[in-house]
């Protein structure tokens, strides 16, 4: 190894172009030049190369990050002066300024007495590593142990002409992780005292040692040079702008000048992090934050920073105008709608942005800036007309719901739907809701709750209207129980199809839908002569529908005369009907009834002309690595290419989410975001938002990169490499932490022999630079479902935990979506064992592969089934996990049987077939109990934090109370947070913030 460096510089500063190598300590033992790692030569050579990525090059020098123990954290030494700086971006700025000024950044100091000149000792330049280490040992050692000559360690002796005085000096270190402390000061009285002066690590600079040496080696000083020095105010450097200020003013300066950067500054000017802005590093766990108030402020600000990034929810092409006929230049307007959390008000805001694209021959030549965003207020649903000239909006305000039609001249039509009194509330959910223009643009189709008339004192019976819009009620019926569709759909029981006639300003509730069918997801049939909809069976009773794709349903066609016809097979589940632009084809998704509540779906193609159905994309049992793994989510409302030849959709694929296309004629599948020319490999997740007029808009994100939009024209099947994508907008932020996907194979002991050979995945997020001399604590995050998925996309909670110094492991255990139907079905009958072992296996693999993770500080968290697994893990591995946080966990599946809105899953999860008329038996209840975390409650020793929603219809809050009482009776640390107006998801903004704050405080208390 060639090591060329200037002898006057620190050992970590080399000439650019040199190749650093290990230093020999003994035979077959070497030491890293930049840290304290030792070992054999081959290992050290590879290790030294890892320091290259943190090196800074400037003016022919290469400055490596120093880990030799000068201070606790890794840091840089300036080649122009003696400053030590921790943060790389600040160091680069400092070096540029320092080199250009050609002067050293010196500490503020009072005048010194004249001393006899001596040759100063270099510090540390060409010293050996042992000398550097010895210099680092100055920390907290008395002056007598500095290793200086005896003349320096003994009290100064006054000559006949006067007494020697060591001048006071304020010494500072550009260290954003250490506090400023009182520095030693010597006076004639103090120097003759018995107390020994003590140096702090932030008190020592090379120039100070030289000054001490120079001052104390003076044998005689003229009396005329004697000066009595006064102590000046303490001064320190701002960690953001390097400005020197009085210490008492630093807090005010930061609040005024660096309000965004000072999110993690506490009242004592301690910095537990190196910032939370763009590329500003990570907040260290266990930093020098003093007091719970300061800590809570840091946590809230980090979470506010991560949750404030907007997330796109929809996109559409709202205008397409031909600018130049000869050159085929077009001007296209794209509208995107976003959701953003506002912690100050505790609400989720929605806003829209517009971009203008200048295009030529299906090529985007220029994207004009979007301009100011527009706030969307109280909007439930919206839809653009086929011509693009009208916009329909259903808005709720002051208890009323309005249907508005907007045009080029403002509001053109407004209907008060409540005043018309034809139906109840309009549906806005994902399971039933729709808003669709008729081809003639004179009618609008939507779904609402059937009108209910409460009995009055004068009339005990109310007759139904001719259109069937009213429900017959009698006096004795006022207390009759009314079913609804469960969690997230409370109060929604009997949906009806409604059509608003804009010319007549009237609403018609269509009759003809069978009474045992609940219609939803409706769209206009060909030429607007009928309605195509998905009908959910509501007999013999309703089960929870949200997050459940296994409910019996079918595709129906209703004509204008009230005749209803079933278009799909019997005994299946159906969703997402989408008609082709030429009105000749319908694609929809189909799955099985009962069993896994979320599953791999098949895409069906219905030929309207021939009235036939075929399978376009079949269920994927298991996929090859990195290949298409099946369809797991609904189709977008605009998913067809303009020529009606291809269908585009998003789907989970192992640890990622990707966009695929399928050819209607051949059934050929293509992964759109897998093309290298699209430059989407840097993103972990790509989500389709819309395809209109062959213009595709996608949302792209990663665990360390918030969502942004990409737009491009579709290419032909044979010329996919010609497709080009442009950036529209979104957060241009790259958070400074790393992530990596993991693909894990179970051991032979953990193998499911019925479904052998299955892999599962995980995603690991970790800070770039863990705290020096301390490994990073690990938080295991487990998704609910269980048939759900952690994609490698932006996750505000995981990002905030990582920025607070935790490593986060998100596990996609067997049973998660994105790995094929076999993986999903393998979990049936194996909950509480297979999924628990998968999570534990993923944790062990992460700890084995990443030596920076601390195996003694592992915590686990999860919600719903994730909370079920978290409680299992702390019970089955009581000595492994140090803390647990569970949101609405399943604790006792047997007692949950009678309270959950998805009782079918209670049977399916333990491997039993479900039927509506099935009654529980002692054997089935015993099987549910055996697979529940409650049986391990006596072994739980880790502190448990429970967060429960008082209105949870899926997992009763009494499940968490059951564990709470079991732990309290055994004196196990437990804390319960009760959110009385929350449901299963705990999704309100204030609730999310409060849960995150309590989780982090809980983990920091019990992991540190």
């Amino acid at each position: 190894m060639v090591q060329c460096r200037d002898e006057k510089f620190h050992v970590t500063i080399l000439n650019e172009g040199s190749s650093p190598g290990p230093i020999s300590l003994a035979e077959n033992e070497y030491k890293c030049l930049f840290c304290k790692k030792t070992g054999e030569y081959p290992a050290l050579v590879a290790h030294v190369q890892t320091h290259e990525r943190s090196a800074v090059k400037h003016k022919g020098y290469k400055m490596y990050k120093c880990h030799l123990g000068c201070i606790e954290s890794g840091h840089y030494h300036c080649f122009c002066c003696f400053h030590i700086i921790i943060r790389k971006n600040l160091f680069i700025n400092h070096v540029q300024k320092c080199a250009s000024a050609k002067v050293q950044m010196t500490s503020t100091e009072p005048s010194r007495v004249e001393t006899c000149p001596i040759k100063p000792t270099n510090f540390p330049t060409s010293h050996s590593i042992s000398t550097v280490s010895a210099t680092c040992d100055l920390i907290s050692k008395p002056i007598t142990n500095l290793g200086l000559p005896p003349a320096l360690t003994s009290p100064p002796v006054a000559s006949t002409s006067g007494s020697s005085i060591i001048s006071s000096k304020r010494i500072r270190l550009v260290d954003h992780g250490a506090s400023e402390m009182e520095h030693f000061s010597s006076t004639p009285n103090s120097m003759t005292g018995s107390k020994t002066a003590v140096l702090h690590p932030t008190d020592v600079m090379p120039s100070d040692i030289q000054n001490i040496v120079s001052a104390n080696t003076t044998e005689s000083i003229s009396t005329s040079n004697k000066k009595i020095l006064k102590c000046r105010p303490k001064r320190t450097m701002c960690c953001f702008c390097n400005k020197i200020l009085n210490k008492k003013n630093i807090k005010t300066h930061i609040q005024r000048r660096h309000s965004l950067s000072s999110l993690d500054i506490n009242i004592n000017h301690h910095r537990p992090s190196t910032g939370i802005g763009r590329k500003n590093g990570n907040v260290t766990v266990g930093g020098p934050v003093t007091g719970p108030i300061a800590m809570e402020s840091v946590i809230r600000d980090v979470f506010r920073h991560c949750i404030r990034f907007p997330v796109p929810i929809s996109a559409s092409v709202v205008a397409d105008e031909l600018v130049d006929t000869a050159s085929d230049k077009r001007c296209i307007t794209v509208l995107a709608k976003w959701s953003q959390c506002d912690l100050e008000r505790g609400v989720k805001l929605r806003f829209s942005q517009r971009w203008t694209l200048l295009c030529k021959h299906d090529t985007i030549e220029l994207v004009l800036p979007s301009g100011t965003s527009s706030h969307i207020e109280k909007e439930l649903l919206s839809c653009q007309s086929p011509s693009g000239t009208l916009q329909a909006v259903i808005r709720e305000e002051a208890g009323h719901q309005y249907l508005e039609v907007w045009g080029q001249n403002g509001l053109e039509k407004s209907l008060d739907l409540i005043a018309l009194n034809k139906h109840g509330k309009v549906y806005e959910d994902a399971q039933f809701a729709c808003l669709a223009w008729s081809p003639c643009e004179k009618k609008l189709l939507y779904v609402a709750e059937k009108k209910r008339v409460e009995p009055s004192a004068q009339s005990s019976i109310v007759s139904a209207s001719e259109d069937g819009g009213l429900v017959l009620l009698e006096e004795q019926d006022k207390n009759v129980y009314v079913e609804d569709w469960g969690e997230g759909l409370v109060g929604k029981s009997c949906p009806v199809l409604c059509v608003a006639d804009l010319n007549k300003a009237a609403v018609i509730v269509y009759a003809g839908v069978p009474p045992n069918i609940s219609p939803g997801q409706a769209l206009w049939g060909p030429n607007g002569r009928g309605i195509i909809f998905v009908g959910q069976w509501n007999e013999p009773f309703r089960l929870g529908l949200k997050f459940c794709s296994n409910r019996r349903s079918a595709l129906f066609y209703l004509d204008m005369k009230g005749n209803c016809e079933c278009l799909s097979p019997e005994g299946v589940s159906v969703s997402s009907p989408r008609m082709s632009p030429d009105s000749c084809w319908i694609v929809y998704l189909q799955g099985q009834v009962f069993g896994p509540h979320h599953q791999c779906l098949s895409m069906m193609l219905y030929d309207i002309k021939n009235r036939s159905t075929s399978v376009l994309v079949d269920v994927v049992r298991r996929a090859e690595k990195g290949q298409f793994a099946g369809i797991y989510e609904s189709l977008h409302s605009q998913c067809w290419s303009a020529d009606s030849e291809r269908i585009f959709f998003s789907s989970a694929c192992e640890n990622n989410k990707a966009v695929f296309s399928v050819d209607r004629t051949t059934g050929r599948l293509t992964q759109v975001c897998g093309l290298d020319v699209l430059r989407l490999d840097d993103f972990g997740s790509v989500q389709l938002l819309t395809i209109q007029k062959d213009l595709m808009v996608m949302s792209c994100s990663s665990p360390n990169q918030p969502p942004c939009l990409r737009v491009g024209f579709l290419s032909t099947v044979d010329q996919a490499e010609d497709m080009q994508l442009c950036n529209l907008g979104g957060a241009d932020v790259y958070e400074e932490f790393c992530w990596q996907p993991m693909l894990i194979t179970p051991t032979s002991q953990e193998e499911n022999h019925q479904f052998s050979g299955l892999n599962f995945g995980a995603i690991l997020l970790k800070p770039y630079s863990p705290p020096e001399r301390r490994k990073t604590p690990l938080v295991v995050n487990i998704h609910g479902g269980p048939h759900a998925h952690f994609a490698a996309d932006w996750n505000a909670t995981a990002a905030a935990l990582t920025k607070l110094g935790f490593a986060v492991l998100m596990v996609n255990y067997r049973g998660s979506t994105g790995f094929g139907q076999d993986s999903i079905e393998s979990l049936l009958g194996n909950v509480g064992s297979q999924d628990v072992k998968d999570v534990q296996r993923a944790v062990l693999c992460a700890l084995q592969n990443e030596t920076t993770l601390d195996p003694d500080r592992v915590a686990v968290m999860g919600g719903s089934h994730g909370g079920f697994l978290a409680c299992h893990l702390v019970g089955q591995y009581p000595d492994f996990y140090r803390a647990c946080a569970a949101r609405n966990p399943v604790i006792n599946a047997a007692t949950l049987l009678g309270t959950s809105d998805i009782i079918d899953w209670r049977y399916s999860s333990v491997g039993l077939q479900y039927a509506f008329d099935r009654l529980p038996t002692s054997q089935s209840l015993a099987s549910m109990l055996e697979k529940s975390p409650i049986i391990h409650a006596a072994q739980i020793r880790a502190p448990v934090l429970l967060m429960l929603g008082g209105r949870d219809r899926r997992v009763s809050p009494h499940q968490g109370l059951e564990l709470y009482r079991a732990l309290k009776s055994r004196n196990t640390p437990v804390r319960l947070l009760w959110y009385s107006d929350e449901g299963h998801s705990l999704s309100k903004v204030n609730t999310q913030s409060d849960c995150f704050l309590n989780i982090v405080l809980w983990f920091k208390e019990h992991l540190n």
Side-chain angles (χ1 to χ4, degrees), residues 221-234:
I221 300 179
S222 173
T223 309
S224 61
N225 293 332
K226 177 179 177 181
K227 295 182 181 180
I228 304 298
L229 303 176
K230 296 182 179 180
C231 184
R232 297 177 59 183
K234 296 181 181 179

Side-chain angles (χ1 to χ4, degrees), residues 862-901:
S864 191
H865 191 83
F868 167 87
L869 295 180
C871 296
H872 258 300
L873 286 163
V874 294
Q876 295 189 33
Y877 304 93
D879 297 325
F880 189 85
Y881 294 92
R882 296 293 180 260
C884 171
R887 295 176 291 106
N888 289 322
V890 176
I891 299 301
N892 188 338
T895 58
L896 184 60
L897 181 62
T899 60
S900 176
D901 66 332

Side-chain angles (χ1 to χ4, degrees), residues 4-70:
C4 300
R5 64 183 181 86
D6 198 320
E7 293 296 324
K8 67 181 179 180
F9 292 136
H10 189 269
V11 69
T12 58
I13 303 175
L14 305 180
N15 292 332
E16 189 174 353
S18 62
S19 300
I23 297 176
S24 177
L25 298 179
E27 186 177 359
N28 296 329
E29 185 178 2
Y30 293 82
K31 181 177 178 61
C32 177
L33 186 65
F34 310 118
C35 66
K36 299 180 180 180
K37 185 177 180 64
T38 60
E40 296 182 356
Y41 185 81
L44 262 295
V45 171
H47 166 77
V48 169
Q49 297 303 315
T50 62
H51 289 279
E52 289 288 341
R53 61 183 180 183
S54 61
V56 175
K57 298 179 181 179
H58 189 73
K59 291 189 178 299
Y61 295 101
K62 186 186 294 185
M63 291 152 280
Y64 291 84
K65 198 162 192 177
C66 177
H67 298 273
L68 297 173
C70 307

